[in-house]
Amino acid sequence: MGVVTVGELKTSISGKRSFRPSSTIRHAATEWPISDVSSDVTIEIGASSFALHKFPLVSRSGRIRRLLIEAKDATISRMNLSLIPGGPEAFELAAKFCYGINIEITLSNVAMLRCAAHFLEMTEEFVQKNLEARTEAYLKDTVLPNISNSISVLHRCECLSPVSEEINLVNRLINAIANNACKEQLASGLLKLDHNFPMKTTPNIEPETPSDWWGKSLSVLNLEFFQRVLTAVKSKGLKQDMISKILINYTHNSLQGLVIRDPHIVRGSLLDMELQKKQRVIVEAMVSLLPTQSRRSSVPMAFLSSLLKTAIASSASTSCRSDLERRIGLQLDQAILEDILIPANSYGNNHGTMYDTESILRIFSIFLNLDEDDDEDNRMRDESEMAYDFDSPGSPKQSSILKVSKLLDTYLAEIALDTNLLPSKFIALAELLPDHARIISDGLYRAVDIFLKVHPNIKDSERYRLCKTIDCQKLSQEACSHAAQNERLPVQMAVQVLYFEQIRLRNAMNGGHNQFFFGTINSQFPQRSSSGAGSGAISPRDNYASVRRENRELKLEVARMRMRLTDLEKDHVSMKQELVRSHPANKIFKSFTKKLSKQLNSLFRINNLKPIGSKPNAESRFLFQRRRRHSIS
């Protein structure tokens, strides 16, 4: 800490410590507070007054000198300096400095003394090493090179406006913070680089200092100064993940105290309106400082969700809420149910809904529109490349759509419990996802069933439209069994469920043919049978590539069966000729051959196949080959 020493303290004849100025013009020895010599001027600052002497003050303060010169009354004894920054405390320290008494410059008073020195015009024009020069030296040596010290002094400048702005102290501190933060970021990156690629072995490596330690100190600043600091560090190139951490910490600390904890306070009171205004200002400022929007944003989903909830509760601007909705929609696949359960801002309306479904509808629409944009961008890609991207079970696109579809079904089940929720809003959300976004409709069926149970008096047309959103072909066996006995469903849906369930059972008994049509998975293609992300939703373009590949494999299999059946026919003819040559009793052999042909033809007719000698189709040859293998084994 810097210590200012001017003049010297000596002991007076009475034994009291008194001050003797160091200048060539000596003044009567005085002490602080002044008692030996009567004062000739009284300085008034608010409710405080200081009985002082003119000479020590005018020797170092240009402002006091000018006021005394400009005064019409030469014997002026009172002077008002209420506008001095820092108030009585700052003037007392400045007056002691004028008297040559030791004062200590610290982080807590350097900003105040620097502004007071500017206000009192305590410059080098009147005496060397005046208060302004001393405070400037302390700022350059101790404050500006250090981030923490700069933040502490900047916080003190909040109550020193507008003088702190006039002397450019605030801008200097902000620029110092930004420059030092970026230097520290660069040094931290170099340290990590050296640690990953060491040039030589270093036996003792000191643990790294967290690079965001200083960001937590910014929470002491007011909103205006915080915005200016963050804008400065962004312009200097600070990383976005660091900016996100600083924003989250500052927002949490700022909004933490703006919560009404007294349940007796009625909503809409003056206190509540004042808190809402503060929340609105903070949220809108934080949203304006968020990093650039991207699908790989460094801002956590939980933080964006909290901001949106606060923005809706505090009636923030439409642009602010739209910005947050778009940011959430960009990374909706990272959200959980709690993130999208946004309370509605009903303002005490008992008939209002519990959740803001309109906002969620826009968020999901944003995500789906982004998905369509990706399809448009990739439409001209090569077909083989397209099949590679979308046939993979671990495709990011498939897993994202699957997560979002499950999230929406879970959300629908939650809001279905709201008795005030209109069927039209629930139906709008249920119809939002395209057909290929769900591989199973059990979650949607559960949500619809809950809604119908909670809202038994809805219109039949709405009930039918609501149930129409469920694809009965994608219901599991358990869901079908439940739906068939569910009295809340329309009769048309129950019949449809029974119909598809009957067809599914029939095809299962016939060996599993045509299972693709009914939404199940063919065992010949195990890459489609995995669960989770691998069995994600299949878009129409994905389905097209899949069907083409399956057709190629089926054609190859039919060709192989045709070749095998041709070989069997040749073997049959050769065996017949050999028997004719080896058996002289042609009559007996012809009778045997005729009987064998009849048996084979009757077997073919039973199995819907063509008789021997005609051109067999693929299905007949396949069944003939399978029965031949069974007979041989």
Side-chain angles (χ1 to χ4, degrees), residues 368-487:
L368 295 174
N369 289 336
L370 290 174
D371 184 56
E372 292 178 2
D373 293 341
D374 291 343
D375 289 342
E376 188 70 23
D377 294 338
N378 296 328
R379 182 175 295 177
M380 303 305 295
R381 296 170 59 185
D382 182 72
E383 183 179 322
S384 60
E385 182 182 357
M386 180 176 65
Y388 172 80
D389 285 347
F390 295 101
D391 288 342
S392 174
S395 171
K397 186 175 181 180
Q398 291 187 14
S399 61
S400 298
I401 296 178
L402 177 63
K403 290 178 181 178
V404 170
S405 64
K406 290 182 177 179
L407 179 65
L408 180 58
D409 292 344
T410 308
Y411 177 78
L412 289 172
E414 187 68 26
I415 66 173
L417 297 170
D418 186 4
T419 56
N420 295 327
L421 180 63
L422 296 177
S424 58
K425 293 186 176 182
F426 188 88
I427 293 172
L429 286 169
E431 294 177 341
L432 190 59
L433 293 181
D435 294 337
H436 69 271
R438 289 186 180 93
I439 59 172
I440 187 169
S441 298
D442 286 13
L444 180 59
Y445 169 73
R446 175 175 173 270
V448 170
D449 185 47
I450 294 174
F451 187 85
L452 293 177
K453 185 176 181 180
V454 177
H455 304 78
N457 299 323
I458 66 172
K459 299 178 181 178
D460 292 339
S461 58
E462 293 175 335
R463 187 187 303 269
Y464 178 75
R465 183 182 173 190
L466 183 60
C467 295
K468 193 177 179 182
T469 60
I470 304 173
D471 188 351
C472 299
Q473 301 181 45
K474 297 181 180 180
L475 291 176
S476 64
Q477 185 175 358
E478 293 78 10
C480 287
S481 301
H482 186 277
Q485 305 175 21
N486 194 343
E487 297 179 354

Side-chain angles (χ1 to χ4, degrees), residues 360-371:
I360 297 303
L361 183 65
R362 290 190 294 267
I363 289 173
F364 276 88
S365 298
I366 289 170
F367 177 82
L368 295 174
N369 289 336
L370 290 174
D371 184 56

Side-chain angles (χ1 to χ4, degrees), residues 68-81:
L68 290 174
I69 293 175
E70 293 175 354
K72 296 180 181 180
D73 187 2
T75 61
I76 184 173
S77 60
R78 286 189 173 275
M79 190 177 299
N80 192 305
L81 297 177

Side-chain angles (χ1 to χ4, degrees), residues 41-46 48 50 52 57 61 63-64 67 78-88 91 119-120:
V41 64
T42 300
I43 306 298
E44 296 178 346
I45 302 176
S48 303
F50 299 86
L52 303 173
L57 298 179
S61 173
R63 188 183 188 91
I64 296 177
L67 290 175
R78 286 189 173 275
M79 190 177 299
N80 192 305
L81 297 177
S82 298
L83 297 179
I84 183 173
F91 179 78
F119 180 84
L120 296 173

Side-chain angles (χ1 to χ4, degrees), residues 37-140:
V37 180
S38 60
S39 63
D40 54 1
V41 64
T42 300
I43 306 298
E44 296 178 346
I45 302 176
S48 303
S49 61
F50 299 86
L52 303 173
H53 303 83
K54 295 179 181 179
F55 178 74
L57 298 179
V58 300
S59 64
R60 293 180 181 272
S61 173
R63 188 183 188 91
I64 296 177
R65 175 183 294 187
R66 188 176 69 255
L67 290 175
L68 290 174
I69 293 175
E70 293 175 354
K72 296 180 181 180
D73 187 2
T75 61
I76 184 173
S77 60
R78 286 189 173 275
M79 190 177 299
N80 192 305
L81 297 177
S82 298
L83 297 179
I84 183 173
E89 181 183 359
F91 179 78
E92 183 177 353
L93 291 175
K96 286 183 178 181
F97 184 85
C98 291
Y99 276 87
I101 297 176
N102 297 343
I103 63 172
E104 183 179 10
I105 301 179
T106 63
L107 292 175
S108 60
N109 64 21
V110 62
M112 178 176 61
L113 288 174
R114 177 66 183 86
C115 293
H118 175 77
F119 180 84
L120 296 173
E121 300 176 14
M122 301 176 68
T123 63
E124 298 294 291
E125 180 182 351
F126 302 100
V127 65
Q128 290 185 354
K129 296 183 179 180
N130 208 344
L131 184 58
E132 184 176 283
R134 295 297 180 87
T135 53
E136 278 294 334
Y138 185 85
L139 288 171
K140 293 178 181 179

